[in-house]
Amino acid sequence: MISQSGATSKVISAENVTVDYGAEPVLIDVDLDVTDGELIGIVGPSGSGKSTLLKVLLGTVPVRAGKVDRRPGLAVGLVPQVEHIDWSFPVTVAECVGMARARGLRTPWITKAERAEIHAVLDRLGLNGLANRHIRDLSGGQQQRVFLARALFTKAEVIFLDEPTSGLDVKTRHEVLHLLDDLNRQGLTIVLTTHDLNGIAAHLPKIVCLNTRVIGAGPPEDVLVPDVLERTYGSPMHVLEHGGMRVVVDSPLFSVDDIGKASA
Amino acid sequence: MMLAADLFKPFEFEFFRNGVIVATLAGALCGVVGCYVVLRNMSYIGHGLSHAIFGGYAVAGLIGINLFLGAGAWGVITALAIGGIVRRRPIGSDAAIGVVTTASFALGLALVQLYGSPGQNADALLFGNVLGVTFADVWLIVAVSIGAALFIGFGYRQLLFTTFDTEVAKATGVRTGLVDGLLMVLLSATVLATMNVMGVTLIAANLVVPAVVARMLTAHHRPVPRRRRDRRGQRFCRHERELSPRCRVRPDDRSHSCDFLHRGVRCRWFVPSPCWHCCARPLMTRHMRMRRLDTLATCG
């Protein structure tokens, strides 16, 4: 399991946050504190408000009630879901990373100093030699790392990742997870959403179970328990111990026939 | 000598000089602005906006204000309305453009039918008249071109980031609403300034076609250094051994096929062996070769 690096002060704090998009509330009375150096995973079923919570913490979605406090001058970065990227957009890896430094008056072209910084970030993430490749011509793991590099290039102190491992194979998922662990150990605060309880969430030092409300928050030992998972996902789940890790499995008693009987 | 003199004779006339200047600037302006229009999947906006401005022209005539100012203000409002709807409502940009611009055009037509054309020939606005360009038109298009150069020059990264990934740009601190709004204002100013020259139908073509062609020819937003392109091209051109999966030599007829790179615009070139790239190479100018090889190198 990934260990928690030394957490010190709050960087973002959400208190009693309620969000709606003009209809049913997507988040109700959500409390979440993000402290310096944390690595947090937000899990929950589809439509539970995971991505909305990320946007609330980022400050791009207005809240209907409650308040969100961010440390003044906090630099944040967002790694979007790869499904939302227009892969035919004509940009190379270097341009994709370089465009992120866009605030204030900048030269249209990437300066020599910026190019050196971009290469340093790409080297740090194992993408050396790919700066002039089109973003479409990379593997899934490399694409994910390019967008991480873009967030790092902005000197972000907190990085948010929306479903960073969706659509990736097991090996690439491990690579991404280890990379995030390395970055966290170097002091970066990371908040991510994931559907993958066993592949990702169980390895994280802190998990937040969300289903419109926060059902549970804490280390996997406290959160990955049948009661919390059932209240989060709305279906019974079993938790097994395997090699010191928690493994979540669907209830063997809950088959397709049971669903049919329940709905009848 | 006679031929050259004949060729330059039209330049003695002011209307011809004005026409050439304005046509050149209009082409460049529409080409630059069109890149962002196409990348935002708003290709129809040029067509729609040029029709929508017709509504402003009719309304301005009816209430007795300057036709040009009225049409311009109407165009800006229409463009901002489209941008606002696209940002806030869960409908696509194509639907927003369709609704707003056709409503505006319909209003203009109805008013012209009811109260007559407000002054200028409405056909000239619809189809343009490059030989009827005045000195004021030249200055207007020069001013819009300078504005476009300044906006794209100083706001290049913000514009690129917002176009590529609005949500992340907003999260990173870019004022995406302002960038979108300014682009829409620039677009409507472009349409307004070029309307007398090209008319509404050619504006749409001028905004979209150059950008689409450019997108087919390059996979980069900016060209890679020439030396690197050359090297990549030569490596690619040592054909059979190093052809990318998308570029195949068919063993049966020894023809060589290459997928044209972009998703959605895949035209396949079949050329007889030996490799077309190598055969054609000596016949091409250096500039043509660079562009061609850059395109081919991205196939892999």
Side-chain angles (χ1 to χ4, degrees), chain A residues 55 88 90 92 95 101-104 107-109 114 132 134 150, chain B residues 39 153 156-158 161 164-165 167-168 172 215 219-222 228:
Chain A
K55 289 174 189 169
S88 66
T92 60
E95 286 164 358
R101 204 168 279 178
R103 294 175 69 179
T107 56
W109 56 89
E114 285 173 335
N132 288 321
H134 188 277
R150 189 173 68 175
Chain B
L39 287 172
Y156 177 79
R157 293 199 201 183
Q158 289 95 326
F161 202 2
F164 180 53
D165 200 338
E167 197 179 329
V168 180
T172 312
R215 202 171 179 189
H220 309 289
H221 208 72
R222 292 148 64 84
R228 187 176 296 278

PDB file of all heavy atoms in Angstrom, chain A residues 55 88 90 92 95 101-104 107-109 114 132 134 150, chain B residues 39 153 156-158 161 164-165 167-168 172 215 219-222 228:
ATOM      1  N   LYS A  55     -14.623  19.346  -9.202  1.00  0.00           N
ATOM      2  CA  LYS A  55     -14.805  20.711  -9.728  1.00  0.00           C
ATOM      3  C   LYS A  55     -15.058  21.705  -8.596  1.00  0.00           C
ATOM      4  O   LYS A  55     -14.649  22.863  -8.679  1.00  0.00           O
ATOM      5  CB  LYS A  55     -15.973  20.731 -10.718  1.00  0.00           C
ATOM      6  CG  LYS A  55     -15.663  20.028 -12.027  1.00  0.00           C
ATOM      7  CD  LYS A  55     -16.887  19.951 -12.910  1.00  0.00           C
ATOM      8  CE  LYS A  55     -16.643  19.059 -14.110  1.00  0.00           C
ATOM      9  NZ  LYS A  55     -17.885  18.770 -14.838  1.00  0.00           N
ATOM     10  N   SER A  88      -7.643  14.346 -32.164  1.00  0.00           N
ATOM     11  CA  SER A  88      -7.234  14.795 -33.500  1.00  0.00           C
ATOM     12  C   SER A  88      -6.790  16.256 -33.478  1.00  0.00           C
ATOM     13  O   SER A  88      -6.403  16.799 -34.494  1.00  0.00           O
ATOM     14  CB  SER A  88      -8.395  14.626 -34.482  1.00  0.00           C
ATOM     15  OG  SER A  88      -9.454  15.486 -34.128  1.00  0.00           O
ATOM     16  N   PRO A  90      -4.594  19.343 -33.420  1.00  0.00           N
ATOM     17  CA  PRO A  90      -3.200  19.365 -33.903  1.00  0.00           C
ATOM     18  C   PRO A  90      -2.206  19.965 -32.907  1.00  0.00           C
ATOM     19  O   PRO A  90      -1.769  21.103 -33.055  1.00  0.00           O
ATOM     20  CB  PRO A  90      -3.301  20.211 -35.175  1.00  0.00           C
ATOM     21  CG  PRO A  90      -4.480  21.086 -34.949  1.00  0.00           C
ATOM     22  CD  PRO A  90      -5.432  20.345 -34.070  1.00  0.00           C
ATOM     23  N   THR A  92       1.447  18.898 -30.556  1.00  0.00           N
ATOM     24  CA  THR A  92       2.466  17.921 -30.172  1.00  0.00           C
ATOM     25  C   THR A  92       2.503  17.851 -28.638  1.00  0.00           C
ATOM     26  O   THR A  92       1.867  18.660 -27.962  1.00  0.00           O
ATOM     27  CB  THR A  92       3.848  18.354 -30.676  1.00  0.00           C
ATOM     28  OG1 THR A  92       4.157  19.612 -30.089  1.00  0.00           O
ATOM     29  CG2 THR A  92       3.887  18.458 -32.191  1.00  0.00           C
ATOM     30  N   GLU A  95       3.811  21.117 -27.168  1.00  0.00           N
ATOM     31  CA  GLU A  95       2.809  22.195 -27.233  1.00  0.00           C
ATOM     32  C   GLU A  95       1.710  21.979 -26.210  1.00  0.00           C
ATOM     33  O   GLU A  95       1.218  22.920 -25.587  1.00  0.00           O
ATOM     34  CB  GLU A  95       2.195  22.257 -28.627  1.00  0.00           C
ATOM     35  CG  GLU A  95       3.110  22.834 -29.676  1.00  0.00           C
ATOM     36  CD  GLU A  95       2.637  22.538 -31.079  1.00  0.00           C
ATOM     37  OE1 GLU A  95       1.606  21.845 -31.237  1.00  0.00           O
ATOM     38  OE2 GLU A  95       3.303  22.975 -32.009  1.00  0.00           O
ATOM     39  N   ARG A 101       0.957  27.050 -19.417  1.00  0.00           N
ATOM     40  CA  ARG A 101       1.433  28.285 -18.790  1.00  0.00           C
ATOM     41  C   ARG A 101       0.880  29.455 -19.609  1.00  0.00           C
ATOM     42  O   ARG A 101       1.560  30.038 -20.444  1.00  0.00           O
ATOM     43  CB  ARG A 101       2.959  28.299 -18.754  1.00  0.00           C
ATOM     44  CG  ARG A 101       3.490  29.188 -17.664  1.00  0.00           C
ATOM     45  CD  ARG A 101       4.955  28.970 -17.448  1.00  0.00           C
ATOM     46  NE  ARG A 101       5.259  27.808 -16.635  1.00  0.00           N
ATOM     47  CZ  ARG A 101       6.492  27.414 -16.359  1.00  0.00           C
ATOM     48  NH1 ARG A 101       7.517  28.068 -16.838  1.00  0.00           N
ATOM     49  NH2 ARG A 101       6.683  26.350 -15.601  1.00  0.00           N
ATOM     50  N   ALA A 102      -0.387  29.752 -19.343  1.00  0.00           N
ATOM     51  CA  ALA A 102      -1.100  30.687 -20.219  1.00  0.00           C
ATOM     52  C   ALA A 102      -1.540  31.957 -19.518  1.00  0.00           C
ATOM     53  O   ALA A 102      -2.083  32.838 -20.150  1.00  0.00           O
ATOM     54  CB  ALA A 102      -2.326  29.986 -20.809  1.00  0.00           C
ATOM     55  N   ARG A 103      -1.347  32.036 -18.218  1.00  0.00           N
ATOM     56  CA  ARG A 103      -1.842  33.223 -17.515  1.00  0.00           C
ATOM     57  C   ARG A 103      -0.894  34.389 -17.730  1.00  0.00           C
ATOM     58  O   ARG A 103       0.326  34.217 -17.802  1.00  0.00           O
ATOM     59  CB  ARG A 103      -1.985  32.922 -16.029  1.00  0.00           C
ATOM     60  CG  ARG A 103      -3.051  31.896 -15.762  1.00  0.00           C
ATOM     61  CD  ARG A 103      -3.111  31.515 -14.317  1.00  0.00           C
ATOM     62  NE  ARG A 103      -3.613  32.598 -13.484  1.00  0.00           N
ATOM     63  CZ  ARG A 103      -3.782  32.489 -12.164  1.00  0.00           C
ATOM     64  NH1 ARG A 103      -3.495  31.378 -11.549  1.00  0.00           N
ATOM     65  NH2 ARG A 103      -4.249  33.491 -11.482  1.00  0.00           N
ATOM     66  N   GLY A 104      -1.477  35.582 -17.854  1.00  0.00           N
ATOM     67  CA  GLY A 104      -0.671  36.783 -18.051  1.00  0.00           C
ATOM     68  C   GLY A 104      -0.198  36.906 -19.492  1.00  0.00           C
ATOM     69  O   GLY A 104      -0.585  36.127 -20.362  1.00  0.00           O
ATOM     70  N   THR A 107       4.654  35.062 -24.604  1.00  0.00           N
ATOM     71  CA  THR A 107       4.948  35.009 -26.029  1.00  0.00           C
ATOM     72  C   THR A 107       4.129  33.883 -26.650  1.00  0.00           C
ATOM     73  O   THR A 107       3.859  32.875 -25.992  1.00  0.00           O
ATOM     74  CB  THR A 107       6.442  34.708 -26.259  1.00  0.00           C
ATOM     75  OG1 THR A 107       6.756  33.484 -25.562  1.00  0.00           O
ATOM     76  CG2 THR A 107       7.326  35.819 -25.758  1.00  0.00           C
ATOM     77  N   PRO A 108       3.717  34.037 -27.900  1.00  0.00           N
ATOM     78  CA  PRO A 108       2.935  32.966 -28.527  1.00  0.00           C
ATOM     79  C   PRO A 108       3.734  31.665 -28.640  1.00  0.00           C
ATOM     80  O   PRO A 108       3.176  30.582 -28.589  1.00  0.00           O
ATOM     81  CB  PRO A 108       2.603  33.513 -29.912  1.00  0.00           C
ATOM     82  CG  PRO A 108       2.863  34.973 -29.856  1.00  0.00           C
ATOM     83  CD  PRO A 108       3.872  35.189 -28.779  1.00  0.00           C
ATOM     84  N   TRP A 109       5.027  31.800 -28.828  1.00  0.00           N
ATOM     85  CA  TRP A 109       5.860  30.611 -28.991  1.00  0.00           C
ATOM     86  C   TRP A 109       6.421  30.180 -27.627  1.00  0.00           C
ATOM     87  O   TRP A 109       6.467  30.965 -26.684  1.00  0.00           O
ATOM     88  CB  TRP A 109       7.009  30.892 -29.965  1.00  0.00           C
ATOM     89  CG  TRP A 109       7.851  32.053 -29.565  1.00  0.00           C
ATOM     90  CD1 TRP A 109       8.945  32.037 -28.762  1.00  0.00           C
ATOM     91  CD2 TRP A 109       7.652  33.432 -29.923  1.00  0.00           C
ATOM     92  NE1 TRP A 109       9.443  33.297 -28.601  1.00  0.00           N
ATOM     93  CE2 TRP A 109       8.676  34.181 -29.296  1.00  0.00           C
ATOM     94  CE3 TRP A 109       6.713  34.083 -30.721  1.00  0.00           C
ATOM     95  CZ2 TRP A 109       8.771  35.549 -29.450  1.00  0.00           C
ATOM     96  CZ3 TRP A 109       6.821  35.464 -30.860  1.00  0.00           C
ATOM     97  CH2 TRP A 109       7.829  36.173 -30.228  1.00  0.00           C
ATOM     98  N   GLU A 114      11.414  27.886 -21.353  1.00  0.00           N
ATOM     99  CA  GLU A 114      10.239  27.035 -21.156  1.00  0.00           C
ATOM    100  C   GLU A 114      10.442  25.655 -21.788  1.00  0.00           C
ATOM    101  O   GLU A 114      10.022  24.639 -21.240  1.00  0.00           O
ATOM    102  CB  GLU A 114       8.995  27.703 -21.757  1.00  0.00           C
ATOM    103  CG  GLU A 114       8.468  28.844 -20.907  1.00  0.00           C
ATOM    104  CD  GLU A 114       7.348  29.606 -21.589  1.00  0.00           C
ATOM    105  OE1 GLU A 114       7.288  29.590 -22.840  1.00  0.00           O
ATOM    106  OE2 GLU A 114       6.541  30.208 -20.887  1.00  0.00           O
ATOM    107  N   ASN A 132       8.167  15.982 -29.634  1.00  0.00           N
ATOM    108  CA  ASN A 132       7.643  16.419 -30.927  1.00  0.00           C
ATOM    109  C   ASN A 132       6.655  15.437 -31.542  1.00  0.00           C
ATOM    110  O   ASN A 132       6.305  15.567 -32.712  1.00  0.00           O
ATOM    111  CB  ASN A 132       8.801  16.681 -31.907  1.00  0.00           C
ATOM    112  CG  ASN A 132       9.551  17.941 -31.538  1.00  0.00           C
ATOM    113  OD1 ASN A 132       8.941  18.926 -31.128  1.00  0.00           O
ATOM    114  ND2 ASN A 132      10.864  17.894 -31.623  1.00  0.00           N
ATOM    115  N   HIS A 134       2.940  13.752 -31.986  1.00  0.00           N
ATOM    116  CA  HIS A 134       1.547  14.159 -31.823  1.00  0.00           C
ATOM    117  C   HIS A 134       0.956  13.374 -30.648  1.00  0.00           C
ATOM    118  O   HIS A 134       1.299  12.203 -30.450  1.00  0.00           O
ATOM    119  CB  HIS A 134       0.765  13.868 -33.106  1.00  0.00           C
ATOM    120  CG  HIS A 134      -0.618  14.429 -33.078  1.00  0.00           C
ATOM    121  ND1 HIS A 134      -1.665  13.777 -32.472  1.00  0.00           N
ATOM    122  CD2 HIS A 134      -1.126  15.587 -33.550  1.00  0.00           C
ATOM    123  CE1 HIS A 134      -2.754  14.519 -32.580  1.00  0.00           C
ATOM    124  NE2 HIS A 134      -2.457  15.613 -33.240  1.00  0.00           N
ATOM    125  N   ARG A 150       1.587  18.287 -17.999  1.00  0.00           N
ATOM    126  CA  ARG A 150       1.009  19.614 -18.209  1.00  0.00           C
ATOM    127  C   ARG A 150       0.631  20.253 -16.868  1.00  0.00           C
ATOM    128  O   ARG A 150       0.857  21.441 -16.648  1.00  0.00           O
ATOM    129  CB  ARG A 150      -0.235  19.502 -19.109  1.00  0.00           C
ATOM    130  CG  ARG A 150      -0.765  20.834 -19.543  1.00  0.00           C
ATOM    131  CD  ARG A 150      -1.874  20.709 -20.545  1.00  0.00           C
ATOM    132  NE  ARG A 150      -3.075  20.141 -19.956  1.00  0.00           N
ATOM    133  CZ  ARG A 150      -4.231  20.013 -20.588  1.00  0.00           C
ATOM    134  NH1 ARG A 150      -4.321  20.378 -21.855  1.00  0.00           N
ATOM    135  NH2 ARG A 150      -5.278  19.489 -20.009  1.00  0.00           N
TER     136      ARG A 150
ATOM    137  N   LEU B  39     -11.487  24.276 -35.271  1.00  0.00           N
ATOM    138  CA  LEU B  39     -11.039  23.459 -34.137  1.00  0.00           C
ATOM    139  C   LEU B  39     -12.086  23.394 -33.030  1.00  0.00           C
ATOM    140  O   LEU B  39     -12.098  22.466 -32.233  1.00  0.00           O
ATOM    141  CB  LEU B  39      -9.731  24.015 -33.568  1.00  0.00           C
ATOM    142  CG  LEU B  39      -8.500  23.763 -34.433  1.00  0.00           C
ATOM    143  CD1 LEU B  39      -7.301  24.514 -33.887  1.00  0.00           C
ATOM    144  CD2 LEU B  39      -8.193  22.283 -34.521  1.00  0.00           C
ATOM    145  N   GLY B 153      -1.882  37.167 -31.244  1.00  0.00           N
ATOM    146  CA  GLY B 153      -0.484  37.252 -30.809  1.00  0.00           C
ATOM    147  C   GLY B 153      -0.345  37.255 -29.294  1.00  0.00           C
ATOM    148  O   GLY B 153       0.392  36.459 -28.715  1.00  0.00           O
ATOM    149  N   TYR B 156      -2.386  34.061 -27.613  1.00  0.00           N
ATOM    150  CA  TYR B 156      -2.263  32.781 -28.320  1.00  0.00           C
ATOM    151  C   TYR B 156      -2.425  31.579 -27.396  1.00  0.00           C
ATOM    152  O   TYR B 156      -3.192  30.658 -27.666  1.00  0.00           O
ATOM    153  CB  TYR B 156      -0.901  32.730 -29.022  1.00  0.00           C
ATOM    154  CG  TYR B 156      -0.646  31.413 -29.720  1.00  0.00           C
ATOM    155  CD1 TYR B 156      -1.214  31.150 -30.955  1.00  0.00           C
ATOM    156  CD2 TYR B 156       0.154  30.432 -29.139  1.00  0.00           C
ATOM    157  CE1 TYR B 156      -1.002  29.945 -31.596  1.00  0.00           C
ATOM    158  CE2 TYR B 156       0.372  29.228 -29.762  1.00  0.00           C
ATOM    159  CZ  TYR B 156      -0.200  28.986 -30.988  1.00  0.00           C
ATOM    160  OH  TYR B 156       0.012  27.784 -31.608  1.00  0.00           O
ATOM    161  N   ARG B 157      -1.710  31.591 -26.293  1.00  0.00           N
ATOM    162  CA  ARG B 157      -1.744  30.405 -25.422  1.00  0.00           C
ATOM    163  C   ARG B 157      -3.105  30.248 -24.754  1.00  0.00           C
ATOM    164  O   ARG B 157      -3.615  29.123 -24.633  1.00  0.00           O
ATOM    165  CB  ARG B 157      -0.663  30.503 -24.353  1.00  0.00           C
ATOM    166  CG  ARG B 157       0.719  30.427 -24.957  1.00  0.00           C
ATOM    167  CD  ARG B 157       1.706  30.064 -23.900  1.00  0.00           C
ATOM    168  NE  ARG B 157       3.041  30.444 -24.300  1.00  0.00           N
ATOM    169  CZ  ARG B 157       4.107  30.188 -23.593  1.00  0.00           C
ATOM    170  NH1 ARG B 157       4.002  29.572 -22.442  1.00  0.00           N
ATOM    171  NH2 ARG B 157       5.297  30.538 -24.019  1.00  0.00           N
ATOM    172  N   GLN B 158      -3.682  31.362 -24.300  1.00  0.00           N
ATOM    173  CA  GLN B 158      -5.010  31.295 -23.693  1.00  0.00           C
ATOM    174  C   GLN B 158      -6.021  30.749 -24.702  1.00  0.00           C
ATOM    175  O   GLN B 158      -6.867  29.918 -24.371  1.00  0.00           O
ATOM    176  CB  GLN B 158      -5.474  32.681 -23.219  1.00  0.00           C
ATOM    177  CG  GLN B 158      -4.727  33.198 -22.006  1.00  0.00           C
ATOM    178  CD  GLN B 158      -3.583  34.095 -22.393  1.00  0.00           C
ATOM    179  OE1 GLN B 158      -2.944  33.895 -23.411  1.00  0.00           O
ATOM    180  NE2 GLN B 158      -3.289  35.071 -21.569  1.00  0.00           N
ATOM    181  N   PHE B 161      -5.302  27.014 -25.348  1.00  0.00           N
ATOM    182  CA  PHE B 161      -5.675  26.195 -24.191  1.00  0.00           C
ATOM    183  C   PHE B 161      -7.200  26.102 -24.077  1.00  0.00           C
ATOM    184  O   PHE B 161      -7.772  25.028 -23.874  1.00  0.00           O
ATOM    185  CB  PHE B 161      -5.092  26.830 -22.913  1.00  0.00           C
ATOM    186  CG  PHE B 161      -4.926  25.879 -21.762  1.00  0.00           C
ATOM    187  CD1 PHE B 161      -5.226  24.534 -21.875  1.00  0.00           C
ATOM    188  CD2 PHE B 161      -4.447  26.343 -20.538  1.00  0.00           C
ATOM    189  CE1 PHE B 161      -5.056  23.670 -20.803  1.00  0.00           C
ATOM    190  CE2 PHE B 161      -4.274  25.488 -19.463  1.00  0.00           C
ATOM    191  CZ  PHE B 161      -4.590  24.147 -19.605  1.00  0.00           C
ATOM    192  N   PHE B 164      -8.548  23.904 -26.858  1.00  0.00           N
ATOM    193  CA  PHE B 164      -8.215  22.482 -26.709  1.00  0.00           C
ATOM    194  C   PHE B 164      -8.953  21.869 -25.529  1.00  0.00           C
ATOM    195  O   PHE B 164      -9.491  20.759 -25.627  1.00  0.00           O
ATOM    196  CB  PHE B 164      -6.705  22.343 -26.522  1.00  0.00           C
ATOM    197  CG  PHE B 164      -6.245  20.920 -26.348  1.00  0.00           C
ATOM    198  CD1 PHE B 164      -6.594  19.945 -27.260  1.00  0.00           C
ATOM    199  CD2 PHE B 164      -5.438  20.569 -25.273  1.00  0.00           C
ATOM    200  CE1 PHE B 164      -6.159  18.643 -27.111  1.00  0.00           C
ATOM    201  CE2 PHE B 164      -5.004  19.268 -25.108  1.00  0.00           C
ATOM    202  CZ  PHE B 164      -5.370  18.300 -26.034  1.00  0.00           C
ATOM    203  N   ASP B 165      -8.988  22.562 -24.408  1.00  0.00           N
ATOM    204  CA  ASP B 165      -9.528  21.955 -23.196  1.00  0.00           C
ATOM    205  C   ASP B 165     -10.055  23.056 -22.273  1.00  0.00           C
ATOM    206  O   ASP B 165      -9.356  23.503 -21.361  1.00  0.00           O
ATOM    207  CB  ASP B 165      -8.405  21.171 -22.505  1.00  0.00           C
ATOM    208  CG  ASP B 165      -8.950  20.144 -21.549  1.00  0.00           C
ATOM    209  OD1 ASP B 165     -10.097  20.303 -21.116  1.00  0.00           O
ATOM    210  OD2 ASP B 165      -8.220  19.186 -21.240  1.00  0.00           O
ATOM    211  N   GLU B 167     -12.287  23.197 -19.884  1.00  0.00           N
ATOM    212  CA  GLU B 167     -12.466  22.930 -18.457  1.00  0.00           C
ATOM    213  C   GLU B 167     -11.144  23.037 -17.700  1.00  0.00           C
ATOM    214  O   GLU B 167     -11.067  23.658 -16.635  1.00  0.00           O
ATOM    215  CB  GLU B 167     -13.069  21.537 -18.292  1.00  0.00           C
ATOM    216  CG  GLU B 167     -13.672  21.324 -16.931  1.00  0.00           C
ATOM    217  CD  GLU B 167     -14.291  19.950 -16.807  1.00  0.00           C
ATOM    218  OE1 GLU B 167     -14.770  19.415 -17.817  1.00  0.00           O
ATOM    219  OE2 GLU B 167     -14.271  19.415 -15.696  1.00  0.00           O
ATOM    220  N   VAL B 168     -10.108  22.428 -18.263  1.00  0.00           N
ATOM    221  CA  VAL B 168      -8.802  22.470 -17.592  1.00  0.00           C
ATOM    222  C   VAL B 168      -8.241  23.886 -17.622  1.00  0.00           C
ATOM    223  O   VAL B 168      -7.644  24.352 -16.646  1.00  0.00           O
ATOM    224  CB  VAL B 168      -7.822  21.462 -18.240  1.00  0.00           C
ATOM    225  CG1 VAL B 168      -6.474  21.506 -17.541  1.00  0.00           C
ATOM    226  CG2 VAL B 168      -8.398  20.067 -18.172  1.00  0.00           C
ATOM    227  N   THR B 172      -7.185  26.066 -14.426  1.00  0.00           N
ATOM    228  CA  THR B 172      -5.815  26.542 -14.282  1.00  0.00           C
ATOM    229  C   THR B 172      -5.761  28.062 -14.104  1.00  0.00           C
ATOM    230  O   THR B 172      -4.701  28.616 -13.835  1.00  0.00           O
ATOM    231  CB  THR B 172      -4.979  26.102 -15.503  1.00  0.00           C
ATOM    232  OG1 THR B 172      -5.235  24.720 -15.730  1.00  0.00           O
ATOM    233  CG2 THR B 172      -3.495  26.255 -15.292  1.00  0.00           C
ATOM    234  N   ARG B 215      -5.628  21.598 -41.692  1.00  0.00           N
ATOM    235  CA  ARG B 215      -5.707  20.518 -40.712  1.00  0.00           C
ATOM    236  C   ARG B 215      -5.392  19.169 -41.350  1.00  0.00           C
ATOM    237  O   ARG B 215      -4.878  18.268 -40.708  1.00  0.00           O
ATOM    238  CB  ARG B 215      -7.110  20.496 -40.100  1.00  0.00           C
ATOM    239  CG  ARG B 215      -7.099  19.800 -38.770  1.00  0.00           C
ATOM    240  CD  ARG B 215      -8.375  19.943 -38.036  1.00  0.00           C
ATOM    241  NE  ARG B 215      -8.250  19.223 -36.781  1.00  0.00           N
ATOM    242  CZ  ARG B 215      -9.240  19.002 -35.963  1.00  0.00           C
ATOM    243  NH1 ARG B 215     -10.436  19.437 -36.255  1.00  0.00           N
ATOM    244  NH2 ARG B 215      -9.051  18.346 -34.852  1.00  0.00           N
ATOM    245  N   ALA B 219      -0.244  17.800 -38.703  1.00  0.00           N
ATOM    246  CA  ALA B 219      -0.743  17.270 -37.434  1.00  0.00           C
ATOM    247  C   ALA B 219      -0.300  18.152 -36.288  1.00  0.00           C
ATOM    248  O   ALA B 219      -0.495  17.822 -35.142  1.00  0.00           O
ATOM    249  CB  ALA B 219      -0.228  15.860 -37.233  1.00  0.00           C
ATOM    250  N   HIS B 220       0.353  19.271 -36.601  1.00  0.00           N
ATOM    251  CA  HIS B 220       0.872  20.140 -35.549  1.00  0.00           C
ATOM    252  C   HIS B 220       0.206  21.485 -35.601  1.00  0.00           C
ATOM    253  O   HIS B 220      -0.193  21.942 -36.654  1.00  0.00           O
ATOM    254  CB  HIS B 220       2.380  20.334 -35.711  1.00  0.00           C
ATOM    255  CG  HIS B 220       3.105  19.043 -35.855  1.00  0.00           C
ATOM    256  ND1 HIS B 220       3.255  18.186 -34.808  1.00  0.00           N
ATOM    257  CD2 HIS B 220       3.672  18.466 -36.924  1.00  0.00           C
ATOM    258  CE1 HIS B 220       3.915  17.126 -35.239  1.00  0.00           C
ATOM    259  NE2 HIS B 220       4.171  17.267 -36.508  1.00  0.00           N
ATOM    260  N   HIS B 221       0.094  22.131 -34.464  1.00  0.00           N
ATOM    261  CA  HIS B 221      -0.457  23.469 -34.462  1.00  0.00           C
ATOM    262  C   HIS B 221       0.574  24.441 -35.019  1.00  0.00           C
ATOM    263  O   HIS B 221       0.239  25.440 -35.612  1.00  0.00           O
ATOM    264  CB  HIS B 221      -0.844  23.867 -33.036  1.00  0.00           C
ATOM    265  CG  HIS B 221      -1.949  24.855 -33.021  1.00  0.00           C
ATOM    266  ND1 HIS B 221      -3.238  24.511 -33.338  1.00  0.00           N
ATOM    267  CD2 HIS B 221      -1.967  26.178 -32.764  1.00  0.00           C
ATOM    268  CE1 HIS B 221      -4.003  25.577 -33.253  1.00  0.00           C
ATOM    269  NE2 HIS B 221      -3.251  26.598 -32.908  1.00  0.00           N
ATOM    270  N   ARG B 222       1.841  24.147 -34.774  1.00  0.00           N
ATOM    271  CA  ARG B 222       2.923  24.945 -35.342  1.00  0.00           C
ATOM    272  C   ARG B 222       3.886  23.958 -36.000  1.00  0.00           C
ATOM    273  O   ARG B 222       4.024  22.837 -35.562  1.00  0.00           O
ATOM    274  CB  ARG B 222       3.654  25.710 -34.245  1.00  0.00           C
ATOM    275  CG  ARG B 222       2.810  26.782 -33.608  1.00  0.00           C
ATOM    276  CD  ARG B 222       3.181  26.933 -32.167  1.00  0.00           C
ATOM    277  NE  ARG B 222       4.552  27.397 -32.012  1.00  0.00           N
ATOM    278  CZ  ARG B 222       4.895  28.676 -32.077  1.00  0.00           C
ATOM    279  NH1 ARG B 222       3.996  29.593 -32.307  1.00  0.00           N
ATOM    280  NH2 ARG B 222       6.131  29.044 -31.908  1.00  0.00           N
ATOM    281  N   ARG B 228      14.415  18.771 -38.609  1.00  0.00           N
ATOM    282  CA  ARG B 228      13.844  17.551 -38.047  1.00  0.00           C
ATOM    283  C   ARG B 228      12.850  16.919 -39.018  1.00  0.00           C
ATOM    284  O   ARG B 228      12.799  15.727 -39.212  1.00  0.00           O
ATOM    285  CB  ARG B 228      13.150  17.875 -36.730  1.00  0.00           C
ATOM    286  CG  ARG B 228      12.673  16.664 -35.985  1.00  0.00           C
ATOM    287  CD  ARG B 228      12.091  17.086 -34.679  1.00  0.00           C
ATOM    288  NE  ARG B 228      13.085  17.699 -33.810  1.00  0.00           N
ATOM    289  CZ  ARG B 228      13.919  17.010 -33.061  1.00  0.00           C
ATOM    290  NH1 ARG B 228      13.882  15.694 -33.076  1.00  0.00           N
ATOM    291  NH2 ARG B 228      14.798  17.610 -32.305  1.00  0.00           N
TER     292      ARG B 228
END
